[in-house]
Short mmCIF file of all heavy atoms in Angstrom, two decimals:
data_model
loop_
_atom_site.label_atom_id
_atom_site.label_comp_id
_atom_site.label_asym_id
_atom_site.label_seq_id
_atom_site.Cartn_x
_atom_site.Cartn_y
_atom_site.Cartn_z
N MET A 1 88.11 -159.73 -114.94
CA MET A 1 87.00 -159.40 -115.82
C MET A 1 86.87 -160.52 -116.87
O MET A 1 87.82 -160.81 -117.59
CB MET A 1 87.30 -158.07 -116.49
CG MET A 1 86.29 -157.60 -117.45
SD MET A 1 85.28 -156.42 -116.60
CE MET A 1 83.89 -156.36 -117.63
N PRO A 2 85.71 -161.14 -116.98
CA PRO A 2 85.51 -162.21 -117.96
C PRO A 2 85.65 -161.69 -119.40
O PRO A 2 85.24 -160.58 -119.71
CB PRO A 2 84.07 -162.67 -117.72
CG PRO A 2 83.74 -162.21 -116.35
CD PRO A 2 84.54 -160.96 -116.13
N ARG A 3 86.23 -162.52 -120.23
CA ARG A 3 86.33 -162.22 -121.66
C ARG A 3 86.33 -163.52 -122.42
O ARG A 3 86.58 -164.58 -121.87
CB ARG A 3 87.56 -161.39 -121.98
CG ARG A 3 88.87 -162.12 -121.85
CD ARG A 3 90.04 -161.20 -122.24
NE ARG A 3 91.28 -161.93 -122.31
CZ ARG A 3 91.77 -162.51 -123.40
NH1 ARG A 3 91.13 -162.44 -124.54
NH2 ARG A 3 92.92 -163.16 -123.37
N THR A 4 86.04 -163.44 -123.69
CA THR A 4 86.01 -164.60 -124.56
C THR A 4 87.34 -164.70 -125.30
O THR A 4 87.85 -163.69 -125.77
CB THR A 4 84.85 -164.47 -125.57
OG1 THR A 4 83.63 -164.37 -124.85
CG2 THR A 4 84.80 -165.67 -126.50
N ILE A 5 87.87 -165.93 -125.38
CA ILE A 5 89.07 -166.15 -126.19
C ILE A 5 88.71 -167.12 -127.31
O ILE A 5 87.77 -167.90 -127.20
CB ILE A 5 90.27 -166.65 -125.37
CG1 ILE A 5 90.01 -168.04 -124.77
CG2 ILE A 5 90.63 -165.65 -124.28
CD1 ILE A 5 91.23 -168.65 -124.11
N SER A 6 89.48 -167.08 -128.35
CA SER A 6 89.24 -167.97 -129.50
C SER A 6 89.84 -169.35 -129.24
O SER A 6 90.64 -169.54 -128.32
CB SER A 6 89.86 -167.37 -130.76
OG SER A 6 91.28 -167.41 -130.65
N ARG A 7 89.48 -170.29 -130.08
CA ARG A 7 90.07 -171.63 -129.99
C ARG A 7 91.58 -171.55 -130.20
O ARG A 7 92.34 -172.25 -129.55
CB ARG A 7 89.46 -172.56 -131.04
CG ARG A 7 88.05 -172.94 -130.75
CD ARG A 7 87.50 -173.82 -131.83
NE ARG A 7 86.08 -174.10 -131.57
CZ ARG A 7 85.37 -174.94 -132.24
NH1 ARG A 7 85.90 -175.60 -133.26
NH2 ARG A 7 84.11 -175.14 -131.94
N ASP A 8 92.00 -170.70 -131.13
CA ASP A 8 93.43 -170.54 -131.39
C ASP A 8 94.16 -170.00 -130.15
O ASP A 8 95.25 -170.46 -129.83
CB ASP A 8 93.68 -169.63 -132.58
CG ASP A 8 93.31 -170.27 -133.91
OD1 ASP A 8 93.28 -171.53 -133.98
OD2 ASP A 8 93.06 -169.53 -134.87
N GLU A 9 93.54 -169.03 -129.48
CA GLU A 9 94.15 -168.50 -128.26
C GLU A 9 94.25 -169.57 -127.18
O GLU A 9 95.26 -169.67 -126.48
CB GLU A 9 93.36 -167.30 -127.73
CG GLU A 9 93.50 -166.06 -128.57
CD GLU A 9 92.59 -164.95 -128.08
OE1 GLU A 9 91.34 -165.11 -128.19
OE2 GLU A 9 93.12 -163.95 -127.57
N LEU A 10 93.21 -170.38 -127.05
CA LEU A 10 93.24 -171.45 -126.07
C LEU A 10 94.34 -172.46 -126.42
O LEU A 10 95.11 -172.88 -125.55
CB LEU A 10 91.89 -172.16 -125.98
CG LEU A 10 91.84 -173.36 -125.04
CD1 LEU A 10 92.28 -172.99 -123.63
CD2 LEU A 10 90.44 -173.97 -125.04
N LYS A 11 94.44 -172.82 -127.69
CA LYS A 11 95.50 -173.75 -128.11
C LYS A 11 96.87 -173.18 -127.79
O LYS A 11 97.75 -173.91 -127.32
CB LYS A 11 95.39 -174.06 -129.60
CG LYS A 11 96.44 -175.08 -130.04
CD LYS A 11 96.27 -175.50 -131.46
CE LYS A 11 97.28 -176.49 -131.95
NZ LYS A 11 98.51 -176.68 -131.24
N GLN A 12 97.07 -171.90 -128.03
CA GLN A 12 98.35 -171.27 -127.71
C GLN A 12 98.64 -171.34 -126.22
O GLN A 12 99.77 -171.63 -125.81
CB GLN A 12 98.37 -169.82 -128.19
CG GLN A 12 98.40 -169.68 -129.69
CD GLN A 12 98.19 -168.24 -130.15
OE1 GLN A 12 98.12 -167.32 -129.34
NE2 GLN A 12 98.06 -168.06 -131.45
N LYS A 13 97.64 -171.10 -125.39
CA LYS A 13 97.81 -171.16 -123.93
C LYS A 13 98.22 -172.58 -123.52
O LYS A 13 99.09 -172.75 -122.67
CB LYS A 13 96.53 -170.76 -123.20
CG LYS A 13 96.18 -169.29 -123.32
CD LYS A 13 94.90 -168.95 -122.61
CE LYS A 13 95.07 -168.76 -121.14
NZ LYS A 13 96.11 -167.87 -120.71
N ILE A 14 97.56 -173.57 -124.11
CA ILE A 14 97.88 -174.97 -123.79
C ILE A 14 99.29 -175.30 -124.27
O ILE A 14 100.09 -175.88 -123.52
CB ILE A 14 96.84 -175.92 -124.41
CG1 ILE A 14 95.48 -175.73 -123.71
CG2 ILE A 14 97.30 -177.37 -124.32
CD1 ILE A 14 94.32 -176.43 -124.40
N ASP A 15 99.63 -174.92 -125.50
CA ASP A 15 100.95 -175.21 -126.06
C ASP A 15 102.07 -174.54 -125.26
O ASP A 15 103.15 -175.12 -125.10
CB ASP A 15 101.03 -174.77 -127.52
CG ASP A 15 100.18 -175.63 -128.45
OD1 ASP A 15 99.72 -176.72 -128.03
OD2 ASP A 15 99.97 -175.21 -129.61
N ARG A 16 101.81 -173.32 -124.75
CA ARG A 16 102.82 -172.60 -123.96
C ARG A 16 102.89 -173.11 -122.52
O ARG A 16 103.76 -172.71 -121.77
CB ARG A 16 102.49 -171.11 -123.91
CG ARG A 16 102.73 -170.34 -125.15
CD ARG A 16 102.62 -168.83 -124.89
NE ARG A 16 101.40 -168.44 -124.22
CZ ARG A 16 100.35 -167.87 -124.82
NH1 ARG A 16 100.38 -167.62 -126.11
NH2 ARG A 16 99.28 -167.54 -124.13
N LYS A 17 101.92 -173.97 -122.17
CA LYS A 17 101.81 -174.48 -120.81
C LYS A 17 101.60 -173.34 -119.81
O LYS A 17 102.18 -173.32 -118.72
CB LYS A 17 103.02 -175.33 -120.44
CG LYS A 17 103.17 -176.57 -121.30
CD LYS A 17 104.35 -177.39 -120.88
CE LYS A 17 104.64 -178.60 -121.68
NZ LYS A 17 103.91 -179.07 -122.76
N ASP A 18 100.75 -172.37 -120.22
CA ASP A 18 100.39 -171.27 -119.32
C ASP A 18 99.76 -171.83 -118.06
O ASP A 18 99.18 -172.92 -118.06
CB ASP A 18 99.40 -170.32 -120.00
CG ASP A 18 100.04 -169.46 -121.08
OD1 ASP A 18 101.26 -169.58 -121.31
OD2 ASP A 18 99.31 -168.67 -121.70
N ASP A 19 99.86 -171.08 -116.98
CA ASP A 19 99.29 -171.49 -115.70
C ASP A 19 97.84 -171.02 -115.62
O ASP A 19 97.58 -169.84 -115.39
CB ASP A 19 100.12 -170.90 -114.56
CG ASP A 19 99.70 -171.43 -113.21
OD1 ASP A 19 99.09 -172.51 -113.15
OD2 ASP A 19 99.99 -170.75 -112.21
N PHE A 20 96.89 -171.93 -115.86
CA PHE A 20 95.47 -171.61 -115.79
C PHE A 20 94.69 -172.89 -115.55
O PHE A 20 95.21 -174.00 -115.74
CB PHE A 20 94.98 -170.91 -117.06
CG PHE A 20 94.96 -171.79 -118.29
CD1 PHE A 20 93.77 -172.37 -118.72
CD2 PHE A 20 96.11 -172.03 -119.02
CE1 PHE A 20 93.74 -173.18 -119.85
CE2 PHE A 20 96.10 -172.83 -120.15
CZ PHE A 20 94.91 -173.40 -120.57
N LEU A 21 93.45 -172.74 -115.10
CA LEU A 21 92.56 -173.88 -114.91
C LEU A 21 91.64 -173.96 -116.12
O LEU A 21 91.03 -172.96 -116.51
CB LEU A 21 91.73 -173.72 -113.64
CG LEU A 21 92.53 -173.68 -112.34
CD1 LEU A 21 91.62 -173.29 -111.18
CD2 LEU A 21 93.18 -175.02 -112.08
N LEU A 22 91.53 -175.14 -116.69
CA LEU A 22 90.66 -175.36 -117.85
C LEU A 22 89.44 -176.13 -117.38
O LEU A 22 89.56 -177.26 -116.90
CB LEU A 22 91.43 -176.14 -118.92
CG LEU A 22 90.71 -176.40 -120.23
CD1 LEU A 22 90.29 -175.10 -120.91
CD2 LEU A 22 91.60 -177.22 -121.15
N ILE A 23 88.28 -175.52 -117.50
CA ILE A 23 87.03 -176.10 -116.98
C ILE A 23 86.11 -176.49 -118.13
O ILE A 23 85.78 -175.66 -118.98
CB ILE A 23 86.29 -175.10 -116.07
CG1 ILE A 23 87.21 -174.56 -114.98
CG2 ILE A 23 85.03 -175.72 -115.49
CD1 ILE A 23 87.75 -175.60 -114.05
N GLU A 24 85.68 -177.74 -118.14
CA GLU A 24 84.73 -178.30 -119.11
C GLU A 24 83.36 -178.29 -118.42
O GLU A 24 83.22 -178.83 -117.33
CB GLU A 24 85.17 -179.71 -119.46
CG GLU A 24 84.08 -180.67 -119.83
CD GLU A 24 83.70 -180.62 -121.28
OE1 GLU A 24 84.57 -180.84 -122.13
OE2 GLU A 24 82.52 -180.39 -121.54
N THR A 25 82.37 -177.66 -119.03
CA THR A 25 81.07 -177.49 -118.37
C THR A 25 79.97 -178.42 -118.85
O THR A 25 78.81 -178.21 -118.53
CB THR A 25 80.57 -176.04 -118.51
OG1 THR A 25 80.41 -175.74 -119.90
CG2 THR A 25 81.53 -175.07 -117.87
N LEU A 26 80.32 -179.44 -119.58
CA LEU A 26 79.30 -180.38 -120.05
C LEU A 26 79.03 -181.45 -118.98
O LEU A 26 79.82 -181.62 -118.06
CB LEU A 26 79.74 -181.03 -121.35
CG LEU A 26 79.77 -180.09 -122.55
CD1 LEU A 26 80.33 -180.80 -123.76
CD2 LEU A 26 78.41 -179.53 -122.84
N PRO A 27 77.93 -182.19 -119.10
CA PRO A 27 77.66 -183.28 -118.16
C PRO A 27 78.81 -184.28 -118.12
O PRO A 27 79.57 -184.42 -119.08
CB PRO A 27 76.39 -183.93 -118.71
CG PRO A 27 75.74 -182.86 -119.53
CD PRO A 27 76.86 -182.04 -120.10
N ALA A 28 78.93 -184.99 -117.02
CA ALA A 28 80.03 -185.93 -116.80
C ALA A 28 80.14 -186.97 -117.92
O ALA A 28 81.25 -187.33 -118.31
CB ALA A 28 79.87 -186.61 -115.45
N THR A 29 79.01 -187.41 -118.46
CA THR A 29 79.07 -188.43 -119.53
C THR A 29 79.79 -187.88 -120.75
O THR A 29 80.58 -188.59 -121.38
CB THR A 29 77.67 -188.92 -119.92
OG1 THR A 29 76.85 -187.80 -120.23
CG2 THR A 29 77.03 -189.72 -118.80
N ALA A 30 79.53 -186.63 -121.11
CA ALA A 30 80.21 -186.02 -122.26
C ALA A 30 81.69 -185.82 -121.95
O ALA A 30 82.54 -186.05 -122.81
CB ALA A 30 79.55 -184.68 -122.60
N TYR A 31 82.01 -185.41 -120.72
CA TYR A 31 83.40 -185.22 -120.31
C TYR A 31 84.16 -186.53 -120.43
O TYR A 31 85.27 -186.56 -120.95
CB TYR A 31 83.45 -184.70 -118.88
CG TYR A 31 84.83 -184.62 -118.29
CD1 TYR A 31 85.67 -183.55 -118.57
CD2 TYR A 31 85.32 -185.63 -117.47
CE1 TYR A 31 86.94 -183.47 -118.04
CE2 TYR A 31 86.59 -185.57 -116.92
CZ TYR A 31 87.39 -184.48 -117.21
OH TYR A 31 88.65 -184.42 -116.68
N HIS A 32 83.59 -187.61 -119.94
CA HIS A 32 84.27 -188.90 -119.98
C HIS A 32 84.41 -189.43 -121.41
O HIS A 32 85.34 -190.18 -121.70
CB HIS A 32 83.56 -189.93 -119.09
CG HIS A 32 83.69 -189.60 -117.65
ND1 HIS A 32 84.90 -189.59 -116.99
CD2 HIS A 32 82.78 -189.24 -116.72
CE1 HIS A 32 84.73 -189.24 -115.73
NE2 HIS A 32 83.45 -189.02 -115.55
N HIS A 33 83.50 -189.02 -122.29
CA HIS A 33 83.59 -189.43 -123.69
C HIS A 33 84.81 -188.79 -124.36
O HIS A 33 85.57 -189.45 -125.05
CB HIS A 33 82.30 -189.07 -124.43
CG HIS A 33 82.34 -189.39 -125.89
ND1 HIS A 33 82.36 -190.67 -126.37
CD2 HIS A 33 82.39 -188.57 -126.97
CE1 HIS A 33 82.42 -190.64 -127.70
NE2 HIS A 33 82.44 -189.38 -128.08
N LYS A 34 84.97 -187.46 -124.15
CA LYS A 34 86.09 -186.75 -124.75
C LYS A 34 86.20 -185.36 -124.14
O LYS A 34 85.19 -184.68 -123.97
CB LYS A 34 85.91 -186.63 -126.27
CG LYS A 34 87.12 -186.10 -126.97
CD LYS A 34 86.98 -186.22 -128.47
CE LYS A 34 88.28 -185.79 -129.13
NZ LYS A 34 88.26 -185.97 -130.56
N HIS A 35 87.42 -184.96 -123.81
CA HIS A 35 87.66 -183.62 -123.29
C HIS A 35 89.10 -183.20 -123.59
O HIS A 35 89.93 -184.04 -123.96
CB HIS A 35 87.40 -183.55 -121.78
CG HIS A 35 88.26 -184.48 -120.98
ND1 HIS A 35 87.92 -185.78 -120.74
CD2 HIS A 35 89.47 -184.30 -120.40
CE1 HIS A 35 88.86 -186.37 -120.03
NE2 HIS A 35 89.81 -185.50 -119.81
N LEU A 36 89.37 -181.92 -123.46
CA LEU A 36 90.72 -181.42 -123.70
C LEU A 36 91.65 -181.91 -122.59
O LEU A 36 91.23 -182.02 -121.44
CB LEU A 36 90.72 -179.90 -123.74
CG LEU A 36 89.99 -179.26 -124.93
CD1 LEU A 36 89.97 -177.75 -124.78
CD2 LEU A 36 90.65 -179.65 -126.23
N PRO A 37 92.91 -182.18 -122.92
CA PRO A 37 93.86 -182.63 -121.90
C PRO A 37 93.96 -181.62 -120.75
O PRO A 37 94.06 -180.41 -120.98
CB PRO A 37 95.19 -182.71 -122.66
CG PRO A 37 94.81 -182.82 -124.10
CD PRO A 37 93.51 -182.08 -124.24
N GLY A 38 93.90 -182.12 -119.55
CA GLY A 38 94.03 -181.27 -118.36
C GLY A 38 92.75 -180.60 -117.91
O GLY A 38 92.74 -179.91 -116.90
N ALA A 39 91.67 -180.79 -118.65
CA ALA A 39 90.41 -180.14 -118.30
C ALA A 39 89.80 -180.76 -117.04
O ALA A 39 89.90 -181.95 -116.81
CB ALA A 39 89.41 -180.23 -119.45
N ILE A 40 89.16 -179.91 -116.26
CA ILE A 40 88.44 -180.33 -115.07
C ILE A 40 86.96 -180.27 -115.40
O ILE A 40 86.48 -179.28 -115.96
CB ILE A 40 88.72 -179.37 -113.90
CG1 ILE A 40 90.21 -179.39 -113.54
CG2 ILE A 40 87.86 -179.72 -112.69
CD1 ILE A 40 90.62 -178.28 -112.60
N ASN A 41 86.20 -181.31 -115.06
CA ASN A 41 84.77 -181.33 -115.35
C ASN A 41 84.00 -180.64 -114.23
O ASN A 41 84.14 -180.99 -113.06
CB ASN A 41 84.29 -182.77 -115.52
CG ASN A 41 82.83 -182.86 -115.92
OD1 ASN A 41 82.08 -183.59 -115.32
ND2 ASN A 41 82.43 -182.13 -116.93
N LEU A 42 83.20 -179.64 -114.59
CA LEU A 42 82.36 -178.92 -113.64
C LEU A 42 81.01 -178.66 -114.29
O LEU A 42 80.75 -177.58 -114.83
CB LEU A 42 83.03 -177.61 -113.23
CG LEU A 42 82.40 -176.81 -112.11
CD1 LEU A 42 82.26 -177.65 -110.84
CD2 LEU A 42 83.22 -175.57 -111.83
N PRO A 43 80.13 -179.67 -114.28
CA PRO A 43 78.82 -179.52 -114.92
C PRO A 43 78.02 -178.40 -114.26
O PRO A 43 78.13 -178.18 -113.05
CB PRO A 43 78.15 -180.87 -114.67
CG PRO A 43 79.24 -181.82 -114.30
CD PRO A 43 80.31 -180.99 -113.68
N PRO A 44 77.22 -177.67 -115.04
CA PRO A 44 76.45 -176.55 -114.49
C PRO A 44 75.60 -176.91 -113.29
O PRO A 44 75.48 -176.11 -112.36
CB PRO A 44 75.58 -176.11 -115.67
CG PRO A 44 76.32 -176.55 -116.87
CD PRO A 44 77.03 -177.82 -116.48
N ASP A 45 75.05 -178.11 -113.25
CA ASP A 45 74.18 -178.48 -112.13
C ASP A 45 74.97 -178.85 -110.88
O ASP A 45 74.38 -179.12 -109.83
CB ASP A 45 73.24 -179.62 -112.52
CG ASP A 45 73.97 -180.90 -112.92
OD1 ASP A 45 75.21 -180.85 -113.12
OD2 ASP A 45 73.31 -181.94 -113.03
N SER A 46 76.30 -178.84 -110.96
CA SER A 46 77.13 -179.19 -109.80
C SER A 46 78.08 -178.07 -109.38
O SER A 46 78.93 -178.28 -108.52
CB SER A 46 77.95 -180.43 -110.12
OG SER A 46 77.12 -181.52 -110.42
N VAL A 47 77.97 -176.90 -109.97
CA VAL A 47 78.90 -175.81 -109.70
C VAL A 47 78.96 -175.49 -108.21
O VAL A 47 80.04 -175.42 -107.61
CB VAL A 47 78.56 -174.54 -110.51
CG1 VAL A 47 79.34 -173.34 -110.03
CG2 VAL A 47 78.82 -174.79 -111.99
N THR A 48 77.82 -175.28 -107.58
CA THR A 48 77.79 -174.89 -106.17
C THR A 48 78.47 -175.94 -105.29
O THR A 48 79.22 -175.60 -104.37
CB THR A 48 76.34 -174.67 -105.70
OG1 THR A 48 75.75 -173.69 -106.54
CG2 THR A 48 76.30 -174.20 -104.27
N LYS A 49 78.23 -177.20 -105.59
CA LYS A 49 78.78 -178.29 -104.79
C LYS A 49 80.28 -178.52 -105.06
O LYS A 49 81.07 -178.69 -104.13
CB LYS A 49 78.00 -179.57 -105.06
CG LYS A 49 78.51 -180.78 -104.32
CD LYS A 49 77.70 -182.01 -104.69
CE LYS A 49 78.31 -183.26 -104.08
NZ LYS A 49 77.68 -184.46 -104.57
N LEU A 50 80.67 -178.54 -106.32
CA LEU A 50 82.03 -178.94 -106.68
C LEU A 50 83.05 -177.81 -106.80
O LEU A 50 84.25 -178.04 -106.62
CB LEU A 50 82.01 -179.71 -108.01
CG LEU A 50 81.25 -181.03 -108.01
CD1 LEU A 50 81.25 -181.65 -109.40
CD2 LEU A 50 81.84 -181.99 -106.99
N ALA A 51 82.62 -176.59 -107.11
CA ALA A 51 83.57 -175.49 -107.34
C ALA A 51 84.51 -175.26 -106.16
O ALA A 51 85.72 -175.11 -106.38
CB ALA A 51 82.83 -174.21 -107.71
N PRO A 52 84.04 -175.24 -104.91
CA PRO A 52 84.99 -175.02 -103.81
C PRO A 52 86.07 -176.09 -103.73
O PRO A 52 87.21 -175.81 -103.32
CB PRO A 52 84.11 -175.04 -102.56
CG PRO A 52 82.74 -174.69 -103.05
CD PRO A 52 82.66 -175.29 -104.44
N GLN A 53 85.77 -177.31 -104.13
CA GLN A 53 86.74 -178.40 -104.09
C GLN A 53 87.68 -178.37 -105.30
O GLN A 53 88.88 -178.61 -105.18
CB GLN A 53 86.03 -179.76 -104.07
CG GLN A 53 85.13 -179.96 -102.89
CD GLN A 53 84.15 -181.11 -103.13
OE1 GLN A 53 84.13 -181.73 -104.19
NE2 GLN A 53 83.32 -181.37 -102.14
N LEU A 54 87.12 -178.08 -106.47
CA LEU A 54 87.90 -178.15 -107.71
C LEU A 54 88.64 -176.87 -108.05
O LEU A 54 89.59 -176.90 -108.82
CB LEU A 54 86.98 -178.54 -108.87
CG LEU A 54 86.30 -179.90 -108.77
CD1 LEU A 54 85.34 -180.10 -109.93
CD2 LEU A 54 87.33 -181.01 -108.73
N LEU A 55 88.18 -175.74 -107.51
CA LEU A 55 88.77 -174.45 -107.83
C LEU A 55 89.22 -173.74 -106.54
O LEU A 55 88.75 -172.66 -106.22
CB LEU A 55 87.75 -173.57 -108.57
CG LEU A 55 87.04 -174.21 -109.76
CD1 LEU A 55 85.96 -173.32 -110.29
CD2 LEU A 55 88.05 -174.57 -110.83
N PRO A 56 90.15 -174.34 -105.81
CA PRO A 56 90.53 -173.79 -104.51
C PRO A 56 91.40 -172.54 -104.54
O PRO A 56 91.52 -171.85 -103.54
CB PRO A 56 91.28 -174.96 -103.85
CG PRO A 56 91.90 -175.67 -105.00
CD PRO A 56 90.89 -175.55 -106.12
N VAL A 57 92.01 -172.24 -105.67
CA VAL A 57 92.95 -171.12 -105.74
C VAL A 57 92.22 -169.85 -106.16
O VAL A 57 91.82 -169.70 -107.31
CB VAL A 57 94.09 -171.42 -106.75
CG1 VAL A 57 95.05 -170.25 -106.82
CG2 VAL A 57 94.81 -172.70 -106.37
N GLN A 58 92.03 -168.94 -105.20
CA GLN A 58 91.38 -167.68 -105.54
C GLN A 58 92.32 -166.85 -106.40
O GLN A 58 93.53 -166.84 -106.18
CB GLN A 58 91.02 -166.91 -104.27
CG GLN A 58 89.88 -167.53 -103.53
CD GLN A 58 89.37 -166.62 -102.42
OE1 GLN A 58 89.94 -165.58 -102.14
NE2 GLN A 58 88.30 -167.03 -101.79
N GLY A 59 91.77 -166.19 -107.38
CA GLY A 59 92.55 -165.35 -108.27
C GLY A 59 93.21 -166.11 -109.41
O GLY A 59 93.90 -165.50 -110.22
N ALA A 60 93.02 -167.41 -109.48
CA ALA A 60 93.60 -168.19 -110.58
C ALA A 60 92.91 -167.83 -111.89
O ALA A 60 91.73 -167.50 -111.91
CB ALA A 60 93.44 -169.69 -110.32
N GLU A 61 93.65 -167.89 -112.99
CA GLU A 61 93.05 -167.68 -114.30
C GLU A 61 92.27 -168.94 -114.65
O GLU A 61 92.77 -170.06 -114.54
CB GLU A 61 94.11 -167.42 -115.36
CG GLU A 61 93.51 -167.20 -116.73
CD GLU A 61 94.55 -166.94 -117.81
OE1 GLU A 61 95.77 -167.06 -117.55
OE2 GLU A 61 94.12 -166.63 -118.93
N ILE A 62 91.04 -168.75 -115.07
CA ILE A 62 90.15 -169.87 -115.41
C ILE A 62 89.64 -169.69 -116.82
O ILE A 62 89.15 -168.62 -117.18
CB ILE A 62 88.96 -169.94 -114.42
CG1 ILE A 62 89.47 -170.17 -113.00
CG2 ILE A 62 87.99 -171.04 -114.84
CD1 ILE A 62 88.39 -170.06 -111.94
N VAL A 63 89.74 -170.75 -117.62
CA VAL A 63 89.16 -170.78 -118.96
C VAL A 63 88.06 -171.84 -118.94
O VAL A 63 88.32 -172.99 -118.58
CB VAL A 63 90.20 -171.11 -120.04
CG1 VAL A 63 89.54 -171.25 -121.41
CG2 VAL A 63 91.30 -170.06 -120.06
N VAL A 64 86.85 -171.44 -119.29
CA VAL A 64 85.70 -172.33 -119.29
C VAL A 64 85.29 -172.61 -120.73
O VAL A 64 85.22 -171.69 -121.54
CB VAL A 64 84.51 -171.69 -118.52
CG1 VAL A 64 83.29 -172.61 -118.53
CG2 VAL A 64 84.92 -171.35 -117.10
N TYR A 65 85.02 -173.88 -121.02
CA TYR A 65 84.56 -174.21 -122.36
C TYR A 65 83.48 -175.29 -122.31
O TYR A 65 83.34 -176.00 -121.32
CB TYR A 65 85.72 -174.67 -123.26
CG TYR A 65 86.15 -176.10 -123.04
CD1 TYR A 65 85.62 -177.13 -123.83
CD2 TYR A 65 87.07 -176.42 -122.06
CE1 TYR A 65 86.03 -178.44 -123.64
CE2 TYR A 65 87.47 -177.74 -121.87
CZ TYR A 65 86.95 -178.74 -122.65
OH TYR A 65 87.33 -180.03 -122.46
N CYS A 66 82.72 -175.35 -123.38
CA CYS A 66 81.75 -176.44 -123.57
C CYS A 66 81.71 -176.72 -125.06
O CYS A 66 82.28 -175.99 -125.86
CB CYS A 66 80.38 -176.07 -123.02
SG CYS A 66 79.55 -174.78 -123.92
N ALA A 67 81.02 -177.76 -125.44
CA ALA A 67 80.99 -178.16 -126.86
C ALA A 67 79.86 -177.50 -127.64
O ALA A 67 79.74 -177.73 -128.82
CB ALA A 67 80.90 -179.67 -126.98
N SER A 68 79.06 -176.70 -126.98
CA SER A 68 77.95 -176.08 -127.71
C SER A 68 78.46 -174.86 -128.47
O SER A 68 79.52 -174.32 -128.16
CB SER A 68 76.83 -175.66 -126.75
OG SER A 68 77.20 -174.48 -126.07
N PRO A 69 77.72 -174.41 -129.49
CA PRO A 69 78.17 -173.28 -130.29
C PRO A 69 78.04 -171.93 -129.60
O PRO A 69 78.43 -170.92 -130.13
CB PRO A 69 77.29 -173.35 -131.53
CG PRO A 69 76.08 -174.10 -131.12
CD PRO A 69 76.52 -175.03 -130.03
N THR A 70 77.48 -171.88 -128.40
CA THR A 70 77.32 -170.60 -127.69
C THR A 70 78.35 -170.42 -126.61
O THR A 70 78.97 -171.33 -126.16
CB THR A 70 75.93 -170.47 -127.06
OG1 THR A 70 75.75 -171.56 -126.15
CG2 THR A 70 74.85 -170.48 -128.11
#
């Protein structure tokens, strides 16, 4: 079930080295400019094409983020 986590919760997950996939949803240019360590770039316009390759583990915990305020 999808839920929202805070920046602090995400930082704790990263610091604990929890087992999850971190997905950055901004365009590739923004990803290459700056992204969180370990993040995988999956721009919205490429989800259908890239998701099967980048997210092969069914049932994996996934955290999605972008730089926008929403």
Side-chain angles (χ1 to χ4, degrees):
M1 178 99 197
R3 70 178 188 91
T4 300
I5 65 172
S6 69
R7 289 179 184 188
D8 288 337
E9 288 174 293
L10 177 56
K11 182 174 180 343
Q12 290 171 6
K13 291 178 81 51
I14 292 169
D15 291 347
R16 287 191 309 257
K17 297 181 182 359
D18 287 359
D19 187 21
F20 68 100
L21 297 171
L22 183 59
I23 308 299
E24 150 86 58
T25 61
L26 291 175
T29 53
Y31 173 82
H32 291 296
H33 177 69
K34 189 170 185 176
H35 60 273
L36 293 175
I40 298 168
N41 184 230
L42 188 57
D45 61 347
S46 300
V47 169
T48 303
K49 178 182 173 189
L50 297 177
Q53 299 163 358
L54 298 175
L55 310 173
V57 180
Q58 288 190 354
E61 180 180 8
I62 298 172
V63 175
V64 179
Y65 79 94
C66 68
S68 77
T70 59

